[in-house]
Amino acid sequence: MLIDRKTFLQNLSIAAGAALLSDFAQADPLFVKKPEMQLGFVTYLWGKDWDVPTLIKNLSDTHIAGVELRVEHAHKVMPDLTPEQRKAVKKQFADSPVKIIGLGTNQQYDYPDQDKLKSSIERTKEFIRLSADVGGTGVKVKPNALHKEVPTEKTLEQIGLALRGLAGYAADFGQQLRLEVHGEETQELPNIRKIMDYADHRNAKICWNCNKQDLNGQGFQYNFDLVKKYFGDTCHVRELDRTDYPYPELIDNLAKMDYKGWVLLECHTNPDDKIAALKQQRQVFDTMMAKY
């Protein structure tokens, strides 16, 4: 097909403009896509004594946009809530600037006792339904231990298969199933990788937990790369200005993989003024993100 001179010049101009824009994108930071990860909060220690209204107020005042509610704490968001109470919790968050990200449970699937395993699976289902009812997007569970009387591989497989079934169940409720990297031996990243390979479900994800064991073996980068394809919407961190963990490297890796989830503060200290401490962590996070 013949193209007239005017059309040819127009196409040439468009191509040149696109190339120029591409050059600008590489040279000018204003054209570089900013990471979409957000700072949130886990109520494990700093928020364990706050009811829902206090939690929402404190996080709003410190510009923390999301929260994972640890169950069995003062917020009392538990499966025994009535349908009306669940609606009330959902409305409190919906009417605030704070998003409820989900529930942090202690459910585990490494039990050699199969009755305990079945009980934990059923309890997890209760939390999945609860999270959906209160407006959450997922439920955190965990591996907790290996057992001397059981071959390691069998325990890892058992945990993974439990996750597979629960991930499918959670998907039906629009919830993500999040395995926290946890447990004295189970938190070793090669073991977490095996668990997730056994789980083999697109809705089974991990919640990175910033353990000292992340530095074991071949080091942080190797361990991070081992499981990064399984990352879900949540990542737990301690105080981001601590120097005993490579937080700048973690944030850099999250940025490189275009992580769109939540970096959740699960701080382990006990400051007298937790509001001031949250404000400080907000500033640390913003400073870290300013380089991107």
Side-chain angles (χ1 to χ4, degrees), residues 73-230:
H73 279 355
H75 353 296
K76 298 181 179 178
V77 180
M78 292 289 288
D80 60 356
L81 292 182
T82 66
E84 291 74 21
Q85 290 171 323
R86 295 176 185 219
K87 290 178 182 177
V89 172
K90 182 176 182 178
K91 187 175 188 306
Q92 288 180 79
F93 282 102
D95 291 345
S96 82
V98 180
K99 178 179 177 62
I100 178 170
I101 299 165
L103 304 178
T105 80
N106 292 308
Q107 299 309 306
Q108 62 190 77
Y109 317 108
D110 55 89
Y111 297 113
D113 185 326
Q114 295 302 293
D115 288 336
K116 287 185 177 181
L117 171 63
K118 291 176 183 177
S119 177
S120 189
I121 289 173
E122 292 307 310
R123 186 62 166 168
T124 304
K125 291 178 179 179
E126 293 180 20
F127 283 116
I128 288 169
R129 297 193 295 270
L130 173 62
S131 181
D133 287 345
V134 299
T137 60
V139 170
K140 186 221 75 178
V141 298
K142 61 187 182 183
N144 203 47
L146 298 176
H147 303 271
K148 293 181 180 179
E149 68 274 24
V150 181
T152 294
E153 198 69 24
K154 183 177 180 180
T155 298
L156 299 179
E157 180 183 19
Q158 176 177 296
I159 297 169
L161 294 180
L163 292 177
R164 183 189 299 178
L166 287 166
Y169 184 87
D172 291 340
F173 290 87
Q175 300 296 298
Q176 190 176 82
L177 190 70
R178 302 160 179 161
L179 183 77
E180 184 177 31
V181 181
H182 186 273
E184 184 175 352
E185 295 174 292
T186 48
Q187 66 192 351
E188 296 281 353
L189 274 306
N191 286 336
I192 292 293
R193 172 60 186 261
K194 286 184 178 181
I195 289 171
M196 298 307 294
D197 286 346
Y198 279 122
D200 190 28
H201 194 289
R202 59 185 175 82
N203 195 42
K205 303 294 185 180
I206 70 161
C207 172
W208 188 262
N209 199 40
C210 295
N211 307 309
K212 63 180 181 180
Q213 287 79 5
D214 301 345
L215 313 182
N216 287 355
Q218 298 185 50
F220 173 85
Q221 193 62 54
Y222 174 85
N223 288 324
F224 184 92
D225 290 343
L226 201 60
V227 298
K228 67 180 181 181
K229 70 176 182 178
Y230 291 117

